[in-house]
Amino acid sequence: PWQLPPAGPLIGRTAELDGLERRRQRVNGAGHAFLAALSGLGGVGKTTVALAWLHALRREFPDGQLYADLGARAGAGPADPGEVLSRFLRGLGVPGPRVPPGIEERGALYRSLTAQRRLVVLLDDAASAAQVRHLLLGGPNVTAVTSRRRLPGLAVDGCYAVGLEPLATEAAVELLARTLDDGRVAAQAEEARTLVRLCAGLPLAVRVAGARLAGHPGRPLTAMVRALTAERDRLEVLAIEDDHSVRAALDLSYQGLPAGAARLYRLLGLHPGRDFGSGTAAAALGLAAPRAPQALELLDALHDANLLTAAATTTVGGTGTGAGAGTEDERYRFHDLVRLHAAACAARDEPEGERAAAVRRITDHYLASATRAEELTDPQHRTLARSFGPGPVVTAELDEGSALDWLERELPNLMAVQRCARDAGNHPAVWQLADALWPLFLRRKHYEHWHAAHREGLAAARELGDTAAECRMLTSGGLGELGRGEAARALEMFERAAEVFRSDGDTLGATRTLNYRGLACQALGRAADAAGLFARAAAELPGCGDPRAAGLARLNLADASLAAGSAGAAAGEAEAARAVLTQEGDRYNAARAALLHGRALLALERLTDAEERLEEALAVLRDAAADYESGRALESLAELAERRGLRSVARERYERALAAYAAVGAPEPPEAESVRARLARLPPEG
């Protein structure tokens, strides 16, 4: 992984770099990990210094660079170290499903993976020593931390602390000259010195002031000097650690914006997430299309004014190349100080009603886009209506190939928007956002977010008195609890859903919970209770008008029967489930039923029929990226080949099954150990 952002120009930091490098060589040379914390005023250049230093170490640390914005001042709150560890593990090659669920296990795996590698890590904008401590490397590697706060707690970890001060006048003048690059600084040397002194030597303020001047080649530096002097009273409003220059510089850039760009700047300050694309900008403005030309032009204006930073470019809509391959959408982010300034401008210059309406439009954009992704990924899931505010709703341009990836990429924003909706009292959006995330949670887990989203959704549904939404949050959230290993809690949630359904007279809903309760009992080791619940669901659901749920119940009953050694009963239930689910258009679960049918036929020694069913199942499950089920199909096909004496075929299929199980995640499926044992016992061909 080479995750570090590019390094910007570094001026006047020779002493700090020399100190860092001398200490690093001593500590690394003794075989220990080196930890450095760079602290100081916001905008003083902590990240710039860290990047320049770490990029210079690339030859000595050839195994990669990891980067995380810990978001101490982010609108959505500081980054969760467990989530940062998850991203780092993925960057180091751990498949998403294999990332352990708990932070301690993630930390242990992270230290194990890094102990024998040569890596550098930048933890940017840390909130506390506790947040950082989970993210420290193993082995003789380098971790750099930046923070507005001093982090004395890291001293116990052997941290080397560097306190960065604003630039000296001459260095700040050099930075201004590089920013302008047109000779005005040399020609107006005294005015330049006065200007950087008014900026208090803060690199961010110097750069923004320079950018403002660069847009007006004929304007003398004295104009900026006068403007900054006149803004001194306003510097007090955004005092960051007793410094006043950032607000003055940002106000000057803001005042120079065209009216439309200034309005977008204010409204984007209300966005609760860390980054955004053109769809969010269009929604904030009340436009109808996600890539409306007006929104793109205004984003360009803000970017040109250095008030937005280009974060990344993503492709939205389309899965191939050429026509229909999708369009590139550049994503942006605010520097966190600029975000605070934009939000303050919104509070000051935008009427309260307009602010509330913009927040609702942004929320609706994420809800509508997540709903579209849900429809594309799992068209049979959504049965509860969505509610939106007045006016146009901007929906991201998605197709079946990009929908799930969009949900995953936008997950931090979706969670932040959900919290924002909670704070705004928009309770319907809170539970509906959790509901729309169902396909992502089901297929790619993200158990912490699954738990948090449904906890908020359940509270919102109860606040509304919406029992249908409450039951959805209980059942979907309960399945997440099952995945987290909280089977008892899941059973409690399913039973509560059944009570609510019954109190509402919803026989179908109450009957559907039989299936969920059976899964929880199965996880708790109560096999007989589980089989009884599955049988009841299979018998009662057709009469309630839900044949698909009845098919799922029969699928679960087949699984329970096969586990109990009743292969004949399992074959009958699995084939019946497959027929129903196929008729209902549920290809994924029909393939799961075909897999169970094939396994039951294999147990009955009906090898030709078993092979047909297993191959049928594998084709669908592989396309659906269902790794666990694909592993089961491959394992059964390997066993079938072994029974026919085809040892090389069996070995190849066992190895493929192991690879599929490895992709499932931690903890490893128990079937993997059985496959290893079979491979060990398998004699060579011939």
Side-chain angles (χ1 to χ4, degrees), residues 342-371:
C345 290
R348 183 189 64 214
D349 300 337
E350 203 71 30
E352 182 179 357
E354 289 297 317
R355 297 199 304 271
V359 169
R360 180 60 189 260
R361 291 193 299 268
I362 291 170
T363 301
D364 286 350
H365 160 62
Y366 282 99
L367 176 57
S369 301
T371 297

mmCIF file of all heavy atoms in Angstrom, residues 342-371:
data_model
loop_
_atom_site.group_PDB
_atom_site.id
_atom_site.type_symbol
_atom_site.label_atom_id
_atom_site.label_comp_id
_atom_site.label_asym_id
_atom_site.label_seq_id
_atom_site.Cartn_x
_atom_site.Cartn_y
_atom_site.Cartn_z
ATOM 1 N N ALA A 342 -16.876 27.414 6.799
ATOM 2 C CA ALA A 342 -18.057 27.336 5.945
ATOM 3 C C ALA A 342 -19.324 27.196 6.777
ATOM 4 O O ALA A 342 -20.355 27.831 6.488
ATOM 5 C CB ALA A 342 -17.922 26.156 4.981
ATOM 6 N N ALA A 343 -19.270 26.370 7.807
ATOM 7 C CA ALA A 343 -20.449 26.210 8.669
ATOM 8 C C ALA A 343 -20.763 27.508 9.401
ATOM 9 O O ALA A 343 -21.942 27.872 9.570
ATOM 10 C CB ALA A 343 -20.204 25.081 9.671
ATOM 11 N N ALA A 344 -19.733 28.230 9.844
ATOM 12 C CA ALA A 344 -19.962 29.507 10.519
ATOM 13 C C ALA A 344 -20.578 30.516 9.554
ATOM 14 O O ALA A 344 -21.459 31.304 9.932
ATOM 15 C CB ALA A 344 -18.654 30.032 11.090
ATOM 16 N N CYS A 345 -20.131 30.492 8.296
ATOM 17 C CA CYS A 345 -20.729 31.383 7.298
ATOM 18 C C CYS A 345 -22.192 31.036 7.067
ATOM 19 O O CYS A 345 -23.032 31.928 6.887
ATOM 20 C CB CYS A 345 -19.949 31.290 5.985
ATOM 21 S SG CYS A 345 -18.293 32.012 6.056
ATOM 22 N N ALA A 346 -22.501 29.736 7.060
ATOM 23 C CA ALA A 346 -23.896 29.331 6.898
ATOM 24 C C ALA A 346 -24.739 29.828 8.069
ATOM 25 O O ALA A 346 -25.847 30.342 7.885
ATOM 26 C CB ALA A 346 -23.989 27.815 6.775
ATOM 27 N N ALA A 347 -24.219 29.684 9.285
ATOM 28 C CA ALA A 347 -24.972 30.128 10.457
ATOM 29 C C ALA A 347 -25.188 31.638 10.442
ATOM 30 O O ALA A 347 -26.228 32.130 10.898
ATOM 31 C CB ALA A 347 -24.230 29.717 11.728
ATOM 32 N N ARG A 348 -24.227 32.368 9.879
ATOM 33 C CA ARG A 348 -24.310 33.821 9.888
ATOM 34 C C ARG A 348 -25.102 34.365 8.696
ATOM 35 O O ARG A 348 -25.886 35.300 8.834
ATOM 36 C CB ARG A 348 -22.893 34.396 9.848
ATOM 37 C CG ARG A 348 -22.803 35.916 9.915
ATOM 38 C CD ARG A 348 -21.378 36.364 9.656
ATOM 39 N NE ARG A 348 -20.972 36.013 8.299
ATOM 40 C CZ ARG A 348 -19.724 35.663 7.968
ATOM 41 N NH1 ARG A 348 -18.793 35.584 8.891
ATOM 42 N NH2 ARG A 348 -19.426 35.370 6.714
ATOM 43 N N ASP A 349 -24.913 33.747 7.513
ATOM 44 C CA ASP A 349 -25.418 34.354 6.287
ATOM 45 C C ASP A 349 -26.605 33.631 5.665
ATOM 46 O O ASP A 349 -27.195 34.143 4.711
ATOM 47 C CB ASP A 349 -24.294 34.415 5.240
ATOM 48 C CG ASP A 349 -23.114 35.240 5.716
ATOM 49 O OD1 ASP A 349 -23.315 36.098 6.596
ATOM 50 O OD2 ASP A 349 -21.994 35.022 5.214
ATOM 51 N N GLU A 350 -26.925 32.455 6.156
ATOM 52 C CA GLU A 350 -28.012 31.672 5.560
ATOM 53 C C GLU A 350 -29.166 31.622 6.551
ATOM 54 O O GLU A 350 -28.976 31.241 7.707
ATOM 55 C CB GLU A 350 -27.510 30.254 5.252
ATOM 56 C CG GLU A 350 -28.281 29.522 4.183
ATOM 57 C CD GLU A 350 -28.047 30.072 2.787
ATOM 58 O OE1 GLU A 350 -26.958 30.603 2.508
ATOM 59 O OE2 GLU A 350 -28.990 29.977 1.983
ATOM 60 N N PRO A 351 -30.386 31.978 6.130
ATOM 61 C CA PRO A 351 -31.524 31.919 7.058
ATOM 62 C C PRO A 351 -31.720 30.516 7.612
ATOM 63 O O PRO A 351 -31.402 29.514 6.959
ATOM 64 C CB PRO A 351 -32.704 32.346 6.179
ATOM 65 C CG PRO A 351 -32.103 33.117 5.058
ATOM 66 C CD PRO A 351 -30.767 32.488 4.806
ATOM 67 N N GLU A 352 -32.261 30.438 8.818
ATOM 68 C CA GLU A 352 -32.433 29.148 9.482
ATOM 69 C C GLU A 352 -33.247 28.184 8.639
ATOM 70 O O GLU A 352 -32.939 26.994 8.536
ATOM 71 C CB GLU A 352 -33.097 29.352 10.847
ATOM 72 C CG GLU A 352 -33.264 28.060 11.636
ATOM 73 C CD GLU A 352 -33.892 28.287 13.000
ATOM 74 O OE1 GLU A 352 -34.144 29.464 13.346
ATOM 75 O OE2 GLU A 352 -34.131 27.290 13.710
ATOM 76 N N GLY A 353 -34.320 28.690 8.022
ATOM 77 C CA GLY A 353 -35.153 27.828 7.191
ATOM 78 C C GLY A 353 -34.400 27.270 6.004
ATOM 79 O O GLY A 353 -34.590 26.108 5.621
ATOM 80 N N GLU A 354 -33.534 28.085 5.407
ATOM 81 C CA GLU A 354 -32.739 27.617 4.277
ATOM 82 C C GLU A 354 -31.734 26.562 4.716
ATOM 83 O O GLU A 354 -31.480 25.591 4.001
ATOM 84 C CB GLU A 354 -32.018 28.798 3.627
ATOM 85 C CG GLU A 354 -32.930 29.735 2.860
ATOM 86 C CD GLU A 354 -33.589 29.039 1.681
ATOM 87 O OE1 GLU A 354 -32.898 28.276 0.972
ATOM 88 O OE2 GLU A 354 -34.797 29.236 1.478
ATOM 89 N N ARG A 355 -31.153 26.755 5.896
ATOM 90 C CA ARG A 355 -30.211 25.754 6.405
ATOM 91 C C ARG A 355 -30.917 24.420 6.630
ATOM 92 O O ARG A 355 -30.405 23.365 6.233
ATOM 93 C CB ARG A 355 -29.565 26.229 7.708
ATOM 94 C CG ARG A 355 -28.716 27.481 7.563
ATOM 95 C CD ARG A 355 -27.754 27.639 8.741
ATOM 96 N NE ARG A 355 -28.422 27.657 10.028
ATOM 97 C CZ ARG A 355 -28.888 28.748 10.629
ATOM 98 N NH1 ARG A 355 -28.791 29.931 10.010
ATOM 99 N NH2 ARG A 355 -29.457 28.696 11.818
ATOM 100 N N ALA A 356 -32.068 24.465 7.267
ATOM 101 C CA ALA A 356 -32.808 23.226 7.537
ATOM 102 C C ALA A 356 -33.207 22.537 6.236
ATOM 103 O O ALA A 356 -33.135 21.305 6.115
ATOM 104 C CB ALA A 356 -34.038 23.529 8.382
ATOM 105 N N ALA A 357 -33.634 23.342 5.244
ATOM 106 C CA ALA A 357 -34.040 22.757 3.964
ATOM 107 C C ALA A 357 -32.852 22.110 3.261
ATOM 108 O O ALA A 357 -32.977 21.038 2.654
ATOM 109 C CB ALA A 357 -34.666 23.834 3.078
ATOM 110 N N ALA A 358 -31.669 22.742 3.332
ATOM 111 C CA ALA A 358 -30.482 22.175 2.692
ATOM 112 C C ALA A 358 -30.072 20.869 3.362
ATOM 113 O O ALA A 358 -29.716 19.893 2.686
ATOM 114 C CB ALA A 358 -29.336 23.175 2.731
ATOM 115 N N VAL A 359 -30.116 20.838 4.688
ATOM 116 C CA VAL A 359 -29.790 19.599 5.405
ATOM 117 C C VAL A 359 -30.755 18.491 4.997
ATOM 118 O O VAL A 359 -30.349 17.338 4.781
ATOM 119 C CB VAL A 359 -29.820 19.831 6.928
ATOM 120 C CG1 VAL A 359 -29.752 18.507 7.682
ATOM 121 C CG2 VAL A 359 -28.670 20.731 7.355
ATOM 122 N N ARG A 360 -32.036 18.828 4.864
ATOM 123 C CA ARG A 360 -33.012 17.814 4.455
ATOM 124 C C ARG A 360 -32.728 17.338 3.032
ATOM 125 O O ARG A 360 -32.812 16.139 2.739
ATOM 126 C CB ARG A 360 -34.435 18.385 4.552
ATOM 127 C CG ARG A 360 -35.533 17.389 4.129
ATOM 128 C CD ARG A 360 -35.490 16.142 5.014
ATOM 129 N NE ARG A 360 -36.357 15.094 4.531
ATOM 130 C CZ ARG A 360 -37.571 14.838 5.032
ATOM 131 N NH1 ARG A 360 -38.052 15.581 6.026
ATOM 132 N NH2 ARG A 360 -38.295 13.846 4.571
ATOM 133 N N ARG A 361 -32.356 18.247 2.128
ATOM 134 C CA ARG A 361 -32.065 17.830 0.755
ATOM 135 C C ARG A 361 -30.833 16.924 0.704
ATOM 136 O O ARG A 361 -30.804 15.945 -0.047
ATOM 137 C CB ARG A 361 -31.852 19.064 -0.134
ATOM 138 C CG ARG A 361 -33.111 19.885 -0.373
ATOM 139 C CD ARG A 361 -32.912 20.893 -1.490
ATOM 140 N NE ARG A 361 -31.863 21.863 -1.216
ATOM 141 C CZ ARG A 361 -32.065 23.042 -0.645
ATOM 142 N NH1 ARG A 361 -33.298 23.396 -0.263
ATOM 143 N NH2 ARG A 361 -31.060 23.877 -0.452
ATOM 144 N N ILE A 362 -29.815 17.260 1.502
ATOM 145 C CA ILE A 362 -28.623 16.405 1.543
ATOM 146 C C ILE A 362 -28.980 15.024 2.091
ATOM 147 O O ILE A 362 -28.555 13.984 1.572
ATOM 148 C CB ILE A 362 -27.522 17.081 2.379
ATOM 149 C CG1 ILE A 362 -26.986 18.319 1.658
ATOM 150 C CG2 ILE A 362 -26.379 16.105 2.673
ATOM 151 C CD1 ILE A 362 -26.072 19.188 2.506
ATOM 152 N N THR A 363 -29.782 15.001 3.154
ATOM 153 C CA THR A 363 -30.231 13.719 3.724
ATOM 154 C C THR A 363 -31.005 12.920 2.690
ATOM 155 O O THR A 363 -30.791 11.706 2.519
ATOM 156 C CB THR A 363 -31.092 13.979 4.958
ATOM 157 O OG1 THR A 363 -30.334 14.699 5.928
ATOM 158 C CG2 THR A 363 -31.580 12.670 5.570
ATOM 159 N N ASP A 364 -31.922 13.588 1.994
ATOM 160 C CA ASP A 364 -32.731 12.896 0.983
ATOM 161 C C ASP A 364 -31.858 12.352 -0.144
ATOM 162 O O ASP A 364 -32.149 11.276 -0.697
ATOM 163 C CB ASP A 364 -33.780 13.850 0.417
ATOM 164 C CG ASP A 364 -34.919 14.121 1.387
ATOM 165 O OD1 ASP A 364 -34.991 13.436 2.423
ATOM 166 O OD2 ASP A 364 -35.739 15.019 1.108
ATOM 167 N N HIS A 365 -30.813 13.086 -0.500
ATOM 168 C CA HIS A 365 -29.904 12.603 -1.546
ATOM 169 C C HIS A 365 -29.271 11.272 -1.137
ATOM 170 O O HIS A 365 -29.245 10.313 -1.931
ATOM 171 C CB HIS A 365 -28.819 13.651 -1.793
ATOM 172 C CG HIS A 365 -27.591 13.123 -2.470
ATOM 173 N ND1 HIS A 365 -27.603 12.579 -3.738
ATOM 174 C CD2 HIS A 365 -26.291 13.039 -2.042
ATOM 175 C CE1 HIS A 365 -26.377 12.189 -4.062
ATOM 176 N NE2 HIS A 365 -25.567 12.451 -3.056
ATOM 177 N N TYR A 366 -28.766 11.200 0.074
ATOM 178 C CA TYR A 366 -28.142 9.955 0.514
ATOM 179 C C TYR A 366 -29.175 8.843 0.676
ATOM 180 O O TYR A 366 -28.907 7.680 0.341
ATOM 181 C CB TYR A 366 -27.368 10.184 1.809
ATOM 182 C CG TYR A 366 -26.035 10.847 1.570
ATOM 183 C CD1 TYR A 366 -25.869 12.218 1.759
ATOM 184 C CD2 TYR A 366 -24.940 10.112 1.131
ATOM 185 C CE1 TYR A 366 -24.646 12.838 1.519
ATOM 186 C CE2 TYR A 366 -23.717 10.715 0.889
ATOM 187 C CZ TYR A 366 -23.585 12.086 1.080
ATOM 188 O OH TYR A 366 -22.376 12.679 0.833
ATOM 189 N N LEU A 367 -30.349 9.180 1.180
ATOM 190 C CA LEU A 367 -31.380 8.160 1.357
ATOM 191 C C LEU A 367 -31.852 7.633 0.010
ATOM 192 O O LEU A 367 -31.995 6.412 -0.178
ATOM 193 C CB LEU A 367 -32.557 8.743 2.150
ATOM 194 C CG LEU A 367 -33.766 7.818 2.342
ATOM 195 C CD1 LEU A 367 -33.361 6.520 3.031
ATOM 196 C CD2 LEU A 367 -34.856 8.533 3.138
ATOM 197 N N ALA A 368 -32.106 8.530 -0.944
ATOM 198 C CA ALA A 368 -32.571 8.088 -2.259
ATOM 199 C C ALA A 368 -31.499 7.274 -2.970
ATOM 200 O O ALA A 368 -31.806 6.254 -3.619
ATOM 201 C CB ALA A 368 -32.956 9.301 -3.104
ATOM 202 N N SER A 369 -30.248 7.685 -2.857
ATOM 203 C CA SER A 369 -29.164 6.956 -3.523
ATOM 204 C C SER A 369 -28.953 5.589 -2.886
ATOM 205 O O SER A 369 -28.747 4.588 -3.585
ATOM 206 C CB SER A 369 -27.874 7.779 -3.472
ATOM 207 O OG SER A 369 -28.049 9.036 -4.096
ATOM 208 N N ALA A 370 -29.002 5.533 -1.560
ATOM 209 C CA ALA A 370 -28.871 4.241 -0.879
ATOM 210 C C ALA A 370 -30.038 3.332 -1.216
ATOM 211 O O ALA A 370 -29.876 2.117 -1.384
ATOM 212 C CB ALA A 370 -28.780 4.450 0.628
ATOM 213 N N THR A 371 -31.228 3.909 -1.332
ATOM 214 C CA THR A 371 -32.403 3.118 -1.703
ATOM 215 C C THR A 371 -32.255 2.567 -3.113
ATOM 216 O O THR A 371 -32.615 1.414 -3.389
ATOM 217 C CB THR A 371 -33.669 3.979 -1.596
ATOM 218 O OG1 THR A 371 -33.834 4.379 -0.231
ATOM 219 C CG2 THR A 371 -34.887 3.214 -2.035
#
